[in-house]
């Protein structure tokens, strides 16, 4: 879809053509998700690839970093859901339009 672009040699991540301010680990995590766009990547695989060591049982680091990425992506791409959770499996990067809870047909 081209809404998120990674330029690894420049250490640059773009969303909607705008540069994202990411930590090194956020950048690595987003790069892994983009490289596997449309496929579910397990928490273990993401942790091993980005942190370069095995995920310890009960460690929620991945979840915290995915949340940080979601917030940053939603700031730039508010009309899109970009990172999807597959409970018990992992995370998937895919571009799906957000559906606002309220529309012109509903009262607030």
């Amino acid at each position: 879809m081209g809404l998120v672009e990674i330029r690894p040699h420049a250490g640059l991540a773009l969303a909607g053509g705008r540069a994202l301010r990411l930590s090194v680990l956020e950048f690595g995590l987003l790069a892994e998700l983009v490289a596997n766009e449309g496929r579910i990547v397990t928490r273990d695989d993401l942790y091993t690839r980005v942190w370069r060591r095995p995920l310890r049982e009960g460690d929620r680091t991945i979840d915290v970093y995915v949340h940080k990425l979601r917030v940053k992506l939603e700031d730039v791409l508010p009309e899109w859901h970009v990172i999807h959770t597959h409970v018990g499996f992992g995370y998937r990067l895919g571009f799906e339009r957000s559906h606002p809870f309220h529309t012109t047909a509903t009262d607030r």
Side-chain angles (χ1 to χ4, degrees):
M1 169 138 291
L3 288 175
V4 174
E5 180 184 350
I6 300 293
R7 296 182 186 168
H9 297 299
L12 181 63
L14 302 167
R18 294 174 50 193
L20 296 172
R21 294 184 64 138
L22 303 176
S23 70
V24 171
L25 293 171
E26 289 168 339
F27 181 84
L29 182 57
L30 184 58
E32 277 301 318
L33 290 168
V34 167
N36 290 284
E37 182 178 343
R39 294 187 298 271
I40 298 170
V41 185
T42 68
R43 294 170 75 253
D44 288 343
D45 286 345
L46 285 170
Y47 195 86
T48 300
R49 293 174 192 167
V50 176
W51 278 260
R52 302 194 189 284
R53 58 180 177 255
L55 180 65
R56 293 182 317 260
E57 188 173 332
D59 189 335
R60 306 304 292 181
T61 303
I62 290 289
D63 308 308
V64 170
Y65 275 81
V66 166
H67 173 75
K68 289 178 178 187
L69 279 177
R70 280 185 175 136
V71 168
K72 290 178 180 187
L73 289 168
E74 287 171 7
D75 276 350
V76 178
L77 304 169
E79 67 279 5
W80 295 95
H81 287 297
V82 180
I83 301 174
H84 307 274
T85 301
H86 293 268
V87 177
F89 295 100
Y91 295 99
R92 174 182 57 87
L93 185 120
F95 300 94
E96 297 175 12
R97 287 243 180 232
S98 297
H99 298 289
F101 180 78
H102 293 286
T103 67
T104 56
T106 64
D107 291 330
R108 290 182 188 232

